[in-house]
Amino acid sequence: MGKLEGKIALITGATSGIGRASSILFAAEGAKVICVGRDETRGEAVVAEIEASLPGQARFFCCDVAQKTEIERLRAEVQQAYGRVDVLFNNAGIFVTRSLEEIDDETWDRVFHTNTKAAMDMTAAFVPLLQKAKGVILNTASIGGLPFHIAGSKTYLYASSKAALIQFTKLCALNYANSVRVNCLCPGITDTPIYTNRDFSRFSGIPMGRVAEPIEVARAALFLVSEDSSYITGAVLPVDGGASLK
């Protein structure tokens, strides 16, 4: 039996990178996976990959989680189709770098709406379904949001939005401890399409000497949403090859 046998897992940002790897892994571990993203072509490709060996284990729902009205529509569709959610993996995010002088209101809103507010809105929308199932929420932040790790001279928006997400995670963990576990992943540099500059040699200072593969972060996510972590809530787990130790 898989670690998520019989569970219903909703993953945002499921069309690439960590979300894609997690969708495939969670399905292999027995979950019915609700893949959520903005790109229907990529989303359906992920579902097709899962369905090739695990028929009936995945569906794609097109949704821009930065838009609250779309989240409300998604919740109604999921409730009608499944009736409950056991795992909510708030994984969608964007990476934007700007010098302080280049930051404008539009860019600020776009980053914080996607990286922070979307997780808040998704949590508020789905927590009644999660409480019904005694479920789990997992948020993808970043080592850039950790208070003891400062890196990247132009990551004002990204780091600040992820720091806010970490605090949001802890507050939810405290307030919903009797019904829903809430934890936070903090990946380091991971080989995903979020990085348009593919020269990862510039990150040579990582103690383990390489960047992460998406499946390595997905395995950490699986631990935090499965019963293997049944007594863990409010945790902030770096998955970074030791980068945040420096």
Side-chain angles (χ1 to χ4, degrees), residues 187-209:
I189 307 302
T190 306
D191 187 357
T192 75
I194 202 170
Y195 292 100
T196 55
N197 181 351
R198 310 303 293 169
D199 177 18
F200 291 124
S201 65
R202 69 191 193 279
F203 301 121
S204 58
I206 298 171
M208 286 185 67

Side-chain angles (χ1 to χ4, degrees), residues 201-222:
S201 65
R202 69 191 193 279
F203 301 121
S204 58
I206 298 171
M208 286 185 67
R210 61 178 179 85
V211 302
E213 294 297 325
I215 187 60
E216 295 178 296
V217 183
R219 291 185 190 121
L222 174 63

Side-chain angles (χ1 to χ4, degrees), residues 27 33 37 39 44 61 101-102 108 132 153 171 195 235 237:
V33 179
D39 190 315
E44 293 294 354
F61 289 78
E101 295 76 15
E102 293 173 322
W108 173 278
K132 182 178 178 181
S153 61
L171 283 163
Y195 292 100
L237 177 64

Side-chain angles (χ1 to χ4, degrees), residues 2 17 41 70 80 88 96 134 197 206 209 230 240 245:
T41 300
E70 292 202 24
Q80 181 175 15
L88 171 61
V96 176
K134 292 286 182 178
N197 181 351
I206 298 171
S230 60
D240 65 354
L245 298 174

